[in-house]
Amino acid sequence: GRAYWVLRPAAVALAPNDRLAASLLYRLLVDGVLNRGAARYYHYAIEDLRAATLIAESITDWESFEPHEVYFDRLQQDHKRKWSFWKQW
């Protein structure tokens, strides 16, 4: 998730035609920031999480991946103490 200069443009490019892939890339970016506890990048992770949330609304087949609601709930549980992240949500 650290290669944001590649992953974010790839997610944007994939979003119109492959929403699942785009959503997974956005998740990778969010996870990368939160797992490192890189607070100065939280605003980017929030933008990526918002993009993933918007895209998720139109995904009907998550294949073998967890649906966005499950991912979001797990994210809240795993990172519940990162209040400076969640207050931006």
Side-chain angles (χ1 to χ4, degrees):
R2 287 185 174 200
Y4 62 87
W5 60 91
V6 175
L7 297 176
R8 192 167 292 116
V12 170
L14 285 168
N17 299 315
D18 193 344
R19 294 181 185 275
L20 178 58
S23 179
L24 296 174
L25 289 177
Y26 282 124
R27 288 181 186 186
L28 187 61
L29 288 160
V30 172
D31 292 341
V33 170
L34 290 178
N35 289 338
R36 287 193 324 269
R40 68 182 190 186
Y41 300 115
Y42 281 176
H43 63 284
Y44 293 112
I46 286 291
E47 290 175 14
D48 294 329
L49 184 57
R50 286 185 179 137
T53 300
L54 287 173
I55 290 171
E57 294 174 0
S58 63
I59 299 173
T60 56
D61 182 8
W62 287 93
E63 298 177 16
S64 63
F65 301 99
E66 63 186 357
H68 187 73
E69 297 81 20
V70 174
Y71 169 77
F72 189 84
D73 290 345
R74 184 175 50 76
L75 199 68
Q76 286 184 305
Q77 183 61 35
D78 292 349
H79 301 285
K80 61 186 170 194
R81 292 186 173 172
K82 294 184 172 122
W83 59 269
S84 61
F85 175 79
W86 292 110
K87 76 176 184 179
Q88 295 180 54
W89 180 248

